[in-house]
Amino acid sequence: MIDAAMLILRAWAGVVMLAHGLNHARNLEGTERWFAKVGFRPARLHARMSAGNELAIGLGLIVGLFTPVAAAGLAATMFMAFWAIHRFAGFFVFHRPDEGYEYVATLAVVALVIAILGPGEYSLDEVIGLPWDWDGRVGALIWLAGVLGGAILAAATWRRASTATTGQE
């Protein structure tokens, strides 16, 4: 039963990320403008990397391939979204137009659970016999590396956008 639950959890998180990646890829120019507006530099590179990463993360989670790495990518993406946008609006998504951080925090926790428990029996990781340590420690460390990677990338490439573009003070 846990294997089926992990498949459902992985697949749903993967579908969410795949949808985001497709949305970014369909409109790279608009995605680039948005990244510039919220303070990421270079915006063009961020738009393309975001689309590609979200597509890869989504597919990896859906099929359960390199699952802890995909979970770390999800955590990194959610950290960057939290840091650059959602933390300024508070917890709830409905409090401000910028949306609070409950959504990105929930996806980050989902990624942690996936990293700790592993992909389950219904995954390509299991089919091809990838040697992940599913006692949870290695998965949790890989997830943490994703969060730290997102923090480093945000520190290196993000500057708070002006209040004119974000509505924040």
Side-chain angles (χ1 to χ4, degrees):
M1 201 58 145
I2 290 177
D3 291 318
M6 289 310 300
L7 172 61
I8 293 165
L9 186 64
R10 267 192 4 256
W12 179 247
V15 165
V16 169
M17 289 306 290
L18 191 63
H20 276 268
L22 288 170
N23 187 49
H24 286 162
R26 275 197 328 248
N27 184 8
L28 281 173
E29 289 179 10
T31 301
E32 180 181 341
R33 283 190 302 274
W34 182 81
F35 272 103
K37 177 183 170 187
V38 299
F40 283 105
R41 305 290 185 269
R44 181 182 195 114
L45 179 62
H46 276 281
R48 281 152 180 74
M49 293 301 294
S50 175
N53 287 340
E54 289 172 353
L55 290 169
I57 292 163
L59 289 172
L61 288 172
I62 290 167
V63 301
L65 183 61
F66 303 115
T67 303
V69 176
L74 176 55
T77 302
M78 293 305 103
F79 178 85
M80 291 185 70
F82 164 79
W83 189 259
I85 300 155
H86 300 279
R87 70 185 168 116
F88 300 112
F91 181 75
F92 296 106
V93 297
F94 52 82
H95 273 227
R96 298 184 128 191
D98 292 338
E99 300 180 354
Y101 58 85
E102 67 180 307
Y103 166 75
V104 296
T106 298
L107 283 178
V109 170
V110 165
L112 178 58
V113 170
I114 292 169
I116 289 171
L117 294 180
E121 183 177 325
Y122 310 122
S123 67
L124 287 180
D125 283 346
E126 182 71 22
V127 169
I128 62 178
L130 289 178
W132 304 114
D133 175 9
W134 294 129
D135 70 0
R137 291 177 288 193
V138 170
L141 288 173
I142 293 170
W143 178 89
L144 182 58
V147 172
L148 293 174
I152 290 166
L153 186 58
T157 64
W158 177 81
R159 299 296 173 263
R160 187 167 183 180
S162 71
T163 57
T165 62
T166 64
Q168 304 296 320
E169 297 180 11

